[in-house]
Amino acid sequence: MAKITIKDVARRAGVQPSTVSRAIHNHPDIKPATRARILQTIEELGFIPDRAAQSFRTGKNHSVSVMLPSPGNDFYIRLINAIDEVLEQHDYDAAVFPMLSQRRLARYQNPQALPYQTDGLMLVSLDPEQLYDDLHTLQGLPTVVLEVHSRHFDSVTLNNPLGGKLAAQHLQERPAETFVMCYAPEPQAAGVPSSGVFEERLQGFLQFFEKVGTPVPLDHQVRVNFDWPKVQEAARTVLSRRQAEPFNVFAVCDLFAHALLEEIREQGLTLGEDVRLVGYDLEPHPSGTASVHQAAEEMGRRATEMLMERILQPDLPIRHVQVDPVLKVGRS
């Protein structure tokens, strides 16, 4: 059976081949009725666009690279799903490149490395000025940075200081001895610099209590990295330093919040009565807890749309968007 071509589709739909191509790529000058007829014809004939030929003609391969520290985090999964939803609307695909080792970091300093052989780049939780020895590595590749504000590229950030403030305001509704379990930057085994979001959350939290005249003492700020046994020990340390019940705790990330919940259960404490806990992206969040919810989906959608616009119009001015978190309170 002969391969179906774009000319076959055009002939059956009664249009020019160029019109079929524009319909496939969602070009705005195609009438809805014409696009619908072409898409129906494509389905009837079983036509599959030749990506290699399109790439040769247009200089684009209809893919983008997403570089991030690690793909396993729930926040990143939500983010990638949102990115994929928007890319699908533009007939694009995403290639995900986690920065898992020093070897990868060194390899990605090469402008010819695989992540840069696409139409655009998304850097998630990675500061390009810290990541690259020379920004010329990107060679003008359309780029959007997520979670880090960049002077050189479009960026979409989360209002992390506001997240910390929301947590503090919630705990202040029932004043009590207050603790915070926060992140201690560690030597990066993979050489990947931290984005600084955890420190921003912490500062938003501490600054609120400073302003209301009840600063959180240093010995109530327990710092730890992401090593799970150390996180568990830090959770025990937080609870051991309390003078009495009730008391309040803020965890700057979901990993810390889960460790605290585990220790609270072990000690037979009652959430909402003995201890009030605020976490980050804590799902599900039971009664007696609250969670600062990051709008990962909105962030991913807006960043992807910005990248698509940048690919089509490389000379656009640099744009910055900030997305606010919301506080969700657990109910019985």
Side-chain angles (χ1 to χ4, degrees), residues 66 86 107 110 130 134 234 258 279 322:
V66 181
V86 177
R107 190 165 74 238
N110 181 357
Q130 296 182 41
D134 186 348
H258 285 297
Q322 187 175 71

Side-chain angles (χ1 to χ4, degrees), residues 96-109 190:
V96 179
F97 296 90
M99 306 290 284
L100 298 175
S101 66
Q102 182 67 41
R103 177 173 172 269
R104 281 193 176 218
L105 179 63
R107 190 165 74 238
Y108 294 162
Q109 298 289 336

Side-chain angles (χ1 to χ4, degrees), residues 208-268:
F208 175 85
F209 281 101
E210 288 278 356
K211 288 181 179 179
V212 299
T214 55
V216 179
L218 279 176
D219 65 350
H220 284 38
Q221 303 171 33
V222 178
R223 290 183 175 269
V224 66
N225 58 35
F226 291 140
D227 180 73
W228 180 243
K230 293 180 181 178
V231 172
Q232 290 177 305
E233 180 60 33
R236 287 190 285 271
T237 298
V238 168
L239 270 61
S240 71
R241 291 182 181 176
R242 72 185 189 276
Q243 297 299 310
E245 289 86 27
F247 64 101
N248 296 328
V249 186
F250 172 49
V252 300
C253 68
D254 59 344
L255 181 71
F256 296 172
H258 285 297
L260 285 162
L261 284 171
E262 184 178 286
E263 188 60 26
I264 287 166
R265 286 192 293 268
E266 285 288 326
Q267 296 194 21

Side-chain angles (χ1 to χ4, degrees), residues 174-196:
R174 189 196 68 179
E177 188 179 23
T178 298
F179 298 83
V180 56
M181 192 165 165
C182 41
Y183 176 65
E186 57 187 318
Q188 298 290 330
V192 181
S194 169
S195 66

Side-chain angles (χ1 to χ4, degrees), residues 14-331:
V15 297
Q16 295 296 318
S18 59
T19 304
V20 175
S21 178
R22 290 199 298 274
I24 290 172
H25 295 102
N26 295 315
H27 201 281
D29 68 357
I30 302 295
K31 294 180 180 179
T34 303
R35 177 183 285 109
R37 185 169 75 253
I38 292 171
L39 294 180
Q40 182 177 351
T41 303
I42 287 173
E43 184 175 353
E44 291 172 353
L45 295 179
F47 171 66
I48 300 175
D50 188 335
R51 285 295 183 87
Q54 291 179 36
S55 178
F56 179 78
R57 289 194 303 270
T58 66
K60 300 189 184 305
N61 57 30
H62 281 257
S63 65
V64 301
S65 298
V66 181
M67 294 174 63
L68 71 173
S70 172
N73 182 290
D74 180 67
F75 173 79
Y76 292 143
I77 292 172
R78 291 166 52 204
L79 192 68
I80 292 171
N81 284 337
I83 290 170
D84 273 340
E85 288 177 7
V86 177
L87 289 178
E88 184 176 9
Q89 297 169 16
H90 293 268
D91 194 31
Y92 263 71
D93 290 319
V96 179
F97 296 90
M99 306 290 284
L100 298 175
S101 66
Q102 182 67 41
R103 177 173 172 269
R104 281 193 176 218
L105 179 63
R107 190 165 74 238
Y108 294 162
Q109 298 289 336
N110 181 357
Q112 302 305 315
L114 189 58
Y116 315 121
Q117 308 310 309
T118 58
D119 297 339
L121 176 65
M122 306 183 84
L123 294 172
V124 183
S125 305
L126 299 169
D127 186 341
E129 293 192 60
Q130 296 182 41
L131 186 63
Y132 296 106
D133 296 333
D134 186 348
L135 288 179
H136 286 98
T137 297
L138 301 181
Q139 298 190 64
L141 184 67
T143 299
V144 175
V145 183
L146 293 81
E147 274 212 297
V148 177
H149 186 278
S150 173
R151 297 178 300 160
H152 304 283
F153 305 101
D154 294 332
S155 61
V156 181
T157 58
L158 292 165
N159 192 339
N160 289 293
L162 175 60
K165 180 180 178 180
L166 291 174
Q169 288 175 325
H170 177 72
L171 294 178
Q172 184 64 15
E173 292 175 2
R174 189 196 68 179
E177 188 179 23
T178 298
F179 298 83
V180 56
M181 192 165 165
C182 41
Y183 176 65
E186 57 187 318
Q188 298 290 330
V192 181
S194 169
S195 66
V197 298
F198 302 112
E199 193 64 25
E200 291 176 357
R201 298 171 188 176
L202 173 64
Q203 292 308 313
F205 184 82
L206 297 178
Q207 286 170 11
F208 175 85
F209 281 101
E210 288 278 356
K211 288 181 179 179
V212 299
T214 55
V216 179
L218 279 176
D219 65 350
H220 284 38
Q221 303 171 33
V222 178
R223 290 183 175 269
V224 66
N225 58 35
F226 291 140
D227 180 73
W228 180 243
K230 293 180 181 178
V231 172
Q232 290 177 305
E233 180 60 33
R236 287 190 285 271
T237 298
V238 168
L239 270 61
S240 71
R241 291 182 181 176
R242 72 185 189 276
Q243 297 299 310
E245 289 86 27
F247 64 101
N248 296 328
V249 186
F250 172 49
V252 300
C253 68
D254 59 344
L255 181 71
F256 296 172
H258 285 297
L260 285 162
L261 284 171
E262 184 178 286
E263 188 60 26
I264 287 166
R265 286 192 293 268
E266 285 288 326
Q267 296 194 21
L269 299 171
T270 302
L271 284 167
E273 296 182 13
D274 300 322
V275 55
R276 179 183 270 185
L277 171 66
V278 178
Y280 244 85
D281 284 331
L282 185 59
E283 295 289 350
H285 39 277
S287 176
T289 69
S291 179
V292 180
H293 178 75
Q294 300 181 94
E297 292 78 10
E298 180 184 355
M299 185 182 189
R301 287 191 292 267
R302 297 185 74 167
T304 310
E305 291 291 3
M306 288 172 71
L307 183 58
M308 293 296 99
E309 292 167 2
R310 176 66 61 185
I311 290 171
L312 291 174
Q313 303 178 68
D315 295 329
L316 284 172
I318 293 176
R319 300 156 297 169
H320 304 292
V321 174
Q322 187 175 71
V323 179
D324 288 342
V326 296
L327 187 76
K328 294 186 176 182
V329 180
R331 304 297 181 188

